[in-house]
mmCIF file of all heavy atoms in Angstrom:
data_model
loop_
_atom_site.group_PDB
_atom_site.id
_atom_site.type_symbol
_atom_site.label_atom_id
_atom_site.label_comp_id
_atom_site.label_asym_id
_atom_site.label_seq_id
_atom_site.Cartn_x
_atom_site.Cartn_y
_atom_site.Cartn_z
ATOM 1 N N THR A 196 -10.820 17.862 -25.326
ATOM 2 C CA THR A 196 -12.131 18.101 -25.917
ATOM 3 C C THR A 196 -13.125 18.381 -24.814
ATOM 4 O O THR A 196 -12.931 17.966 -23.662
ATOM 5 C CB THR A 196 -12.584 16.881 -26.761
ATOM 6 O OG1 THR A 196 -13.758 17.214 -27.504
ATOM 7 C CG2 THR A 196 -12.899 15.682 -25.878
ATOM 8 N N ASP A 197 -14.192 19.066 -25.140
ATOM 9 C CA ASP A 197 -15.220 19.409 -24.165
ATOM 10 C C ASP A 197 -15.816 18.146 -23.548
ATOM 11 O O ASP A 197 -16.109 17.170 -24.239
ATOM 12 C CB ASP A 197 -16.317 20.229 -24.849
ATOM 13 C CG ASP A 197 -17.369 20.695 -23.883
ATOM 14 O OD1 ASP A 197 -17.098 21.619 -23.105
ATOM 15 O OD2 ASP A 197 -18.470 20.119 -23.911
ATOM 16 N N ALA A 198 -15.990 18.185 -22.216
ATOM 17 C CA ALA A 198 -16.448 16.995 -21.491
ATOM 18 C C ALA A 198 -17.961 16.931 -21.335
ATOM 19 O O ALA A 198 -18.468 16.030 -20.660
ATOM 20 C CB ALA A 198 -15.791 16.955 -20.111
ATOM 21 N N SER A 199 -18.693 17.849 -21.950
ATOM 22 C CA SER A 199 -20.147 17.867 -21.768
ATOM 23 C C SER A 199 -20.839 16.667 -22.397
ATOM 24 O O SER A 199 -22.017 16.401 -22.109
ATOM 25 C CB SER A 199 -20.730 19.163 -22.339
ATOM 26 O OG SER A 199 -20.475 19.267 -23.731
ATOM 27 N N SER A 200 -20.124 15.938 -23.255
ATOM 28 C CA SER A 200 -20.721 14.750 -23.886
ATOM 29 C C SER A 200 -20.593 13.510 -23.010
ATOM 30 O O SER A 200 -20.856 12.402 -23.478
ATOM 31 C CB SER A 200 -20.065 14.488 -25.244
ATOM 32 O OG SER A 200 -18.691 14.175 -25.089
ATOM 33 N N PHE A 201 -20.195 13.690 -21.737
ATOM 34 C CA PHE A 201 -20.039 12.570 -20.821
ATOM 35 C C PHE A 201 -21.100 12.653 -19.722
ATOM 36 O O PHE A 201 -20.842 13.138 -18.623
ATOM 37 C CB PHE A 201 -18.639 12.569 -20.200
ATOM 38 C CG PHE A 201 -17.564 12.118 -21.130
ATOM 39 C CD1 PHE A 201 -17.038 12.991 -22.066
ATOM 40 C CD2 PHE A 201 -17.087 10.812 -21.094
ATOM 41 C CE1 PHE A 201 -16.048 12.582 -22.938
ATOM 42 C CE2 PHE A 201 -16.103 10.388 -21.969
ATOM 43 C CZ PHE A 201 -15.585 11.277 -22.897
ATOM 44 N N PRO A 202 -22.306 12.173 -20.011
ATOM 45 C CA PRO A 202 -23.343 12.193 -18.983
ATOM 46 C C PRO A 202 -23.079 11.141 -17.911
ATOM 47 O O PRO A 202 -22.290 10.214 -18.104
ATOM 48 C CB PRO A 202 -24.620 11.863 -19.761
ATOM 49 C CG PRO A 202 -24.130 11.025 -20.913
ATOM 50 C CD PRO A 202 -22.775 11.589 -21.265
ATOM 51 N N ALA A 203 -23.735 11.288 -16.776
ATOM 52 C CA ALA A 203 -23.577 10.319 -15.693
ATOM 53 C C ALA A 203 -24.200 8.977 -16.073
ATOM 54 O O ALA A 203 -25.135 8.902 -16.868
ATOM 55 C CB ALA A 203 -24.226 10.849 -14.423
ATOM 56 N N ASN A 204 -23.609 7.914 -15.512
ATOM 57 C CA ASN A 204 -24.174 6.562 -15.609
ATOM 58 C C ASN A 204 -24.297 6.076 -17.049
ATOM 59 O O ASN A 204 -25.258 5.392 -17.406
ATOM 60 C CB ASN A 204 -25.535 6.497 -14.907
ATOM 61 C CG ASN A 204 -25.450 6.940 -13.457
ATOM 62 O OD1 ASN A 204 -24.598 6.476 -12.701
ATOM 63 N ND2 ASN A 204 -26.306 7.882 -13.058
ATOM 64 N N THR A 205 -23.313 6.429 -17.862
ATOM 65 C CA THR A 205 -23.294 6.024 -19.269
ATOM 66 C C THR A 205 -21.886 5.574 -19.617
ATOM 67 O O THR A 205 -20.913 6.284 -19.348
ATOM 68 C CB THR A 205 -23.686 7.200 -20.184
ATOM 69 O OG1 THR A 205 -24.980 7.670 -19.828
ATOM 70 C CG2 THR A 205 -23.684 6.777 -21.646
ATOM 71 N N TRP A 206 -21.766 4.398 -20.226
ATOM 72 C CA TRP A 206 -20.446 3.916 -20.636
ATOM 73 C C TRP A 206 -19.992 4.660 -21.891
ATOM 74 O O TRP A 206 -20.716 4.755 -22.874
ATOM 75 C CB TRP A 206 -20.478 2.412 -20.918
ATOM 76 C CG TRP A 206 -20.486 1.576 -19.674
ATOM 77 C CD1 TRP A 206 -21.537 0.886 -19.160
ATOM 78 C CD2 TRP A 206 -19.376 1.355 -18.796
ATOM 79 N NE1 TRP A 206 -21.162 0.253 -17.991
ATOM 80 C CE2 TRP A 206 -19.840 0.516 -17.750
ATOM 81 C CE3 TRP A 206 -18.049 1.786 -18.779
ATOM 82 C CZ2 TRP A 206 -19.014 0.099 -16.716
ATOM 83 C CZ3 TRP A 206 -17.227 1.377 -17.750
ATOM 84 C CH2 TRP A 206 -17.705 0.545 -16.732
ATOM 85 N N LYS A 207 -18.756 5.200 -21.818
ATOM 86 C CA LYS A 207 -18.126 5.875 -22.946
ATOM 87 C C LYS A 207 -16.715 5.312 -23.117
ATOM 88 O O LYS A 207 -16.037 5.002 -22.134
ATOM 89 C CB LYS A 207 -18.037 7.387 -22.697
ATOM 90 C CG LYS A 207 -19.371 8.057 -22.451
ATOM 91 C CD LYS A 207 -20.103 8.373 -23.734
ATOM 92 C CE LYS A 207 -19.513 9.570 -24.428
ATOM 93 N NZ LYS A 207 -20.284 9.944 -25.654
ATOM 94 N N HIS A 208 -16.276 5.220 -24.364
ATOM 95 C CA HIS A 208 -14.922 4.752 -24.624
ATOM 96 C C HIS A 208 -14.014 5.939 -24.874
ATOM 97 O O HIS A 208 -14.349 6.857 -25.637
ATOM 98 C CB HIS A 208 -14.871 3.822 -25.835
ATOM 99 C CG HIS A 208 -13.501 3.270 -26.077
ATOM 100 N ND1 HIS A 208 -12.668 3.753 -27.071
ATOM 101 C CD2 HIS A 208 -12.792 2.309 -25.424
ATOM 102 C CE1 HIS A 208 -11.519 3.107 -27.028
ATOM 103 N NE2 HIS A 208 -11.568 2.222 -26.043
ATOM 104 N N VAL A 209 -12.852 5.948 -24.221
ATOM 105 C CA VAL A 209 -11.859 7.009 -24.408
ATOM 106 C C VAL A 209 -10.515 6.364 -24.712
ATOM 107 O O VAL A 209 -10.215 5.271 -24.232
ATOM 108 C CB VAL A 209 -11.759 7.924 -23.169
ATOM 109 C CG1 VAL A 209 -13.084 8.633 -22.922
ATOM 110 C CG2 VAL A 209 -11.347 7.153 -21.926
ATOM 111 N N ALA A 210 -9.714 7.050 -25.502
ATOM 112 C CA ALA A 210 -8.390 6.538 -25.849
ATOM 113 C C ALA A 210 -7.541 7.681 -26.364
ATOM 114 O O ALA A 210 -8.052 8.714 -26.801
ATOM 115 C CB ALA A 210 -8.492 5.443 -26.915
ATOM 116 N N PHE A 211 -6.222 7.491 -26.308
ATOM 117 C CA PHE A 211 -5.335 8.409 -27.011
ATOM 118 C C PHE A 211 -4.131 7.633 -27.511
ATOM 119 O O PHE A 211 -3.751 6.597 -26.974
ATOM 120 C CB PHE A 211 -4.907 9.596 -26.128
ATOM 121 C CG PHE A 211 -3.804 9.308 -25.146
ATOM 122 C CD1 PHE A 211 -2.469 9.393 -25.523
ATOM 123 C CD2 PHE A 211 -4.098 8.969 -23.843
ATOM 124 C CE1 PHE A 211 -1.445 9.134 -24.613
ATOM 125 C CE2 PHE A 211 -3.094 8.712 -22.924
ATOM 126 C CZ PHE A 211 -1.766 8.794 -23.307
ATOM 127 N N THR A 212 -3.536 8.178 -28.568
ATOM 128 C CA THR A 212 -2.289 7.645 -29.107
ATOM 129 C C THR A 212 -1.267 8.769 -29.181
ATOM 130 O O THR A 212 -1.610 9.937 -29.400
ATOM 131 C CB THR A 212 -2.473 7.046 -30.513
ATOM 132 O OG1 THR A 212 -2.926 8.071 -31.412
ATOM 133 C CG2 THR A 212 -3.474 5.898 -30.495
ATOM 134 N N ALA A 213 -0.006 8.427 -28.992
ATOM 135 C CA ALA A 213 1.121 9.315 -29.244
ATOM 136 C C ALA A 213 2.034 8.559 -30.191
ATOM 137 O O ALA A 213 2.623 7.542 -29.810
ATOM 138 C CB ALA A 213 1.842 9.677 -27.953
ATOM 139 N N ASP A 214 2.125 9.029 -31.433
ATOM 140 C CA ASP A 214 2.770 8.242 -32.485
ATOM 141 C C ASP A 214 4.167 8.727 -32.854
ATOM 142 O O ASP A 214 4.731 8.306 -33.857
ATOM 143 C CB ASP A 214 1.890 8.197 -33.733
ATOM 144 C CG ASP A 214 1.682 9.576 -34.372
ATOM 145 O OD1 ASP A 214 2.294 10.566 -33.910
ATOM 146 O OD2 ASP A 214 0.894 9.656 -35.338
ATOM 147 N N GLY A 215 4.733 9.623 -32.027
ATOM 148 C CA GLY A 215 6.036 10.187 -32.334
ATOM 149 C C GLY A 215 5.966 11.560 -32.961
ATOM 150 O O GLY A 215 6.987 12.252 -33.050
ATOM 151 N N ALA A 216 4.772 11.954 -33.395
ATOM 152 C CA ALA A 216 4.603 13.276 -34.007
ATOM 153 C C ALA A 216 3.322 13.972 -33.564
ATOM 154 O O ALA A 216 3.204 15.186 -33.671
ATOM 155 C CB ALA A 216 4.603 13.163 -35.531
ATOM 156 N N ARG A 217 2.358 13.202 -33.052
ATOM 157 C CA ARG A 217 1.048 13.775 -32.759
ATOM 158 C C ARG A 217 0.372 12.993 -31.635
ATOM 159 O O ARG A 217 0.408 11.756 -31.621
ATOM 160 C CB ARG A 217 0.165 13.746 -34.005
ATOM 161 C CG ARG A 217 -1.210 14.333 -33.861
ATOM 162 C CD ARG A 217 -1.973 14.283 -35.184
ATOM 163 N NE ARG A 217 -1.334 15.129 -36.187
ATOM 164 C CZ ARG A 217 -0.655 14.672 -37.225
ATOM 165 N NH1 ARG A 217 -0.544 13.352 -37.420
ATOM 166 N NH2 ARG A 217 -0.096 15.497 -38.078
ATOM 167 N N VAL A 218 -0.236 13.719 -30.694
ATOM 168 C CA VAL A 218 -1.123 13.120 -29.699
ATOM 169 C C VAL A 218 -2.547 13.251 -30.226
ATOM 170 O O VAL A 218 -3.003 14.365 -30.548
ATOM 171 C CB VAL A 218 -1.007 13.813 -28.329
ATOM 172 C CG1 VAL A 218 -2.020 13.234 -27.344
ATOM 173 C CG2 VAL A 218 0.395 13.680 -27.767
ATOM 174 N N THR A 219 -3.248 12.124 -30.342
ATOM 175 C CA THR A 219 -4.620 12.121 -30.847
ATOM 176 C C THR A 219 -5.545 11.539 -29.788
ATOM 177 O O THR A 219 -5.283 10.460 -29.262
ATOM 178 C CB THR A 219 -4.738 11.300 -32.142
ATOM 179 O OG1 THR A 219 -3.818 11.814 -33.113
ATOM 180 C CG2 THR A 219 -6.152 11.374 -32.705
ATOM 181 N N LEU A 220 -6.610 12.266 -29.478
ATOM 182 C CA LEU A 220 -7.593 11.860 -28.481
ATOM 183 C C LEU A 220 -8.837 11.335 -29.179
ATOM 184 O O LEU A 220 -9.317 11.942 -30.150
ATOM 185 C CB LEU A 220 -7.945 13.070 -27.597
ATOM 186 C CG LEU A 220 -8.986 12.876 -26.493
ATOM 187 C CD1 LEU A 220 -8.503 11.875 -25.448
ATOM 188 C CD2 LEU A 220 -9.304 14.219 -25.843
ATOM 189 N N TYR A 221 -9.371 10.220 -28.676
ATOM 190 C CA TYR A 221 -10.551 9.578 -29.257
ATOM 191 C C TYR A 221 -11.654 9.453 -28.223
ATOM 192 O O TYR A 221 -11.388 9.174 -27.045
ATOM 193 C CB TYR A 221 -10.207 8.164 -29.749
ATOM 194 C CG TYR A 221 -9.198 8.085 -30.867
ATOM 195 C CD1 TYR A 221 -7.831 8.129 -30.590
ATOM 196 C CD2 TYR A 221 -9.604 7.945 -32.195
ATOM 197 C CE1 TYR A 221 -6.898 8.045 -31.615
ATOM 198 C CE2 TYR A 221 -8.669 7.852 -33.228
ATOM 199 C CZ TYR A 221 -7.319 7.903 -32.927
ATOM 200 O OH TYR A 221 -6.406 7.815 -33.940
#
Side-chain angles (χ1 to χ4, degrees):
T196 189
D197 184 74
S199 61
S200 64
F201 285 80
N204 304 310
T205 302
W206 283 106
K207 302 278 284 184
H208 183 257
V209 298
F211 80 85
T212 61
D214 64 5
R217 181 178 295 108
V218 176
T219 304
L220 179 64
Y221 296 83

